[in-house]
Amino acid sequence: MQKSLSLLNLVGSSQAIENVRQLIHQVAGKDVTVLITGESGTGKEVVAKNLHRLSTRGSHPFVPVNCGAIPAELLESELFGHEKGAFTGAIASRQGRFEIAEGGTLFLDEIGDMPLMMQVKLLRVLQERTFERVGGQKIQQSDVRIIAATHRDLESAITESLFREDLYYRLNVFPIEMPALRDRISDLPILIEDFLTKLHAEHRAILRFTDRCMDTLADHHWPGNVRELANLIERLLVTHPGKCIDVHELPARYQTRLKSRPVDNAVSLSVLNHETHLSEENDFWIKEQLPLHGIDLKEYLSQLECRFIQQALDDADGIVAHAADRLRIRRTTLVEKMRKYELQRRDVG
């Protein structure tokens, strides 16, 4: 079972993603049609690929088709192939995706964007397991597993006469819904760590994030979901390689005002939960609680130091001498630490 789980490549420990893993294992070995729903960027193709890998068809082709990216007049030829001379420009016979996927899995992404005329032809293939190339008369048998995906509400599309009800029930034999990132925000630190690990070989740099930055990212709505997060991490690796990222290093759209909310251990994004108290002018202390899974103390202390230096610089409007006074260290010591963390400086003459 552990070997199978490693193949899934679905990062996260939230209950929402655990439910998806369970559904994948339930249906992967069953040769039934699966409909994957969810917003754009949630990882629907990742689910489809792993359903294929864990199935008895795993040694045969996995063939994806984006039904929304192919013009309607070309989609039939793309799916079923065509014979030489079938239409202008058809100078040779060509296999379609159904033939290429023979014995394997055909992944019909964005099925909700498929034109109605093509929906009729797809329904026939699903019912009869046969098709004909465009311009051909030979009936060909089809042995493929269909996995479809969409970000659209197909039931609403049926009501609006944009999607065939009979095709919907043919596709929706086993539904899997991918959760939006904002609905599994506790997975945010794990996802960031995973992206950094995957991108390290290419960028040869790492990033660290202050608690304030992580809280700000948790407040973001994430309309692009996991794909948006991956793009953000790669952008930060290019613009701030090796740095400790605070709110001000984020693109403007992510610099939202932090919302006050109660601490929830299940979704806390801090390395440690802590409470800061100022009982007197010189009385400062932190109450810490060691996580059950332990902590990299050196890394945590570096992040804490980086965060406080950045906050002191922010409060001092970037003036190093004033920030050093706030931190009660020498100006030269602060300059050295700023160089270590690659933080910006601004002195007055």
Side-chain angles (χ1 to χ4, degrees), residues 82 88 130 147 232 259 267 286-287 303 322 332 347-348:
H82 61 256
T88 302
T130 62
I147 298 177
L232 173 64
K259 301 173 183 176
V267 299
I286 297 177
K287 180 180 180 181
Q303 291 184 5
H322 294 175
T332 53
D347 283 309
V348 290

Side-chain angles (χ1 to χ4, degrees), residues 68-333:
I70 302 173
E73 62 272 16
L74 299 179
L75 187 55
E76 182 177 6
S77 172
E78 190 70 26
L79 289 176
F80 306 129
H82 61 256
E83 298 292 357
K84 180 179 179 180
F87 50 83
T88 302
I91 59 176
S93 297
R94 180 178 179 272
Q95 284 187 326
R97 299 299 179 93
F98 269 91
E99 288 181 72
I100 296 172
E102 182 67 17
T105 301
L106 183 64
F107 175 52
L108 300 176
D109 197 9
E110 298 305 343
I111 190 72
D113 295 332
M114 179 177 282
L116 282 169
M117 185 58 68
M118 277 304 304
Q119 293 179 30
V120 175
K121 297 182 179 182
L122 176 61
L123 180 62
R124 178 191 170 193
V125 179
L126 291 176
Q127 291 174 335
E128 302 178 9
R129 298 288 179 176
T130 62
F131 65 92
E132 299 170 9
R133 287 182 179 178
V134 177
Q137 296 180 343
K138 180 182 177 182
I139 296 178
Q140 303 201 48
Q141 300 295 319
S142 176
D143 177 25
V144 299
R145 181 187 191 180
I146 300 293
I147 298 177
T150 183
H151 72 282
R152 298 189 182 279
D153 182 346
L154 293 186
E155 293 186 359
S156 295
I158 292 170
T159 303
E160 298 169 8
S161 299
L162 297 175
F163 201 84
R164 291 183 62 94
E165 186 173 15
D166 47 5
L167 177 59
Y168 172 72
Y169 288 117
R170 279 283 179 176
L171 295 173
N172 197 35
V173 176
F174 192 96
I176 296 179
E177 182 176 1
M178 284 299 292
L181 178 55
R182 61 184 169 277
D183 294 330
R184 59 180 186 111
I185 206 65
S186 62
D187 288 333
L188 191 65
I190 306 174
L191 287 164
I192 290 176
E193 181 180 358
D194 181 67
F195 290 139
L196 288 174
T197 300
K198 291 176 180 176
L199 292 168
H200 180 262
E202 178 181 351
H203 294 277
R204 297 294 177 186
I206 61 172
L207 294 175
R208 296 182 300 276
F209 295 83
T210 66
D211 289 348
R212 181 170 64 169
C213 182
M214 291 296 287
D215 287 340
T216 299
L217 291 177
D219 285 334
H220 185 60
H221 189 65
W222 297 106
N225 292 291
V226 177
R227 185 186 296 125
E228 180 186 353
L229 177 61
N231 292 341
L232 173 64
I233 298 304
E234 187 161 18
R235 175 178 177 178
L236 291 173
L237 280 169
V238 172
T239 58
H240 300 84
K243 287 191 175 181
C244 180
I245 306 299
D246 198 13
V247 176
H248 300 294
E249 280 73 53
L250 295 175
R253 64 180 301 204
Y254 298 95
Q255 294 183 21
T256 56
R257 184 184 299 274
L258 289 178
K259 301 173 183 176
S260 60
R261 57 181 177 222
V263 174
D264 182 346
N265 291 333
V267 299
S268 175
L269 300 180
S270 302
V271 179
L272 289 177
N273 294 324
H274 56 268
E275 298 173 356
T276 303
H277 301 271
L278 292 173
S279 56
E280 295 179 2
E281 183 178 354
N282 296 323
D283 182 17
F284 172 82
W285 56 277
I286 297 177
K287 180 180 180 181
E288 300 177 342
Q289 181 179 356
L290 185 66
L292 294 177
H293 59 274
I295 189 175
D296 184 331
L297 184 60
K298 182 178 180 180
E299 176 69 15
Y300 172 68
L301 292 176
S302 294
Q303 291 184 5
L304 191 64
E305 183 177 53
C306 174
R307 192 188 84 183
F308 284 155
I309 290 174
Q310 184 64 65
Q311 289 181 355
L313 288 168
D314 291 344
D315 293 344
D317 196 26
I319 300 174
V320 176
H322 294 175
D325 289 342
R326 184 81 186 275
L327 295 168
R328 298 175 189 172
I329 59 176
R330 292 187 177 186
R331 178 184 166 281
T332 53
T333 301

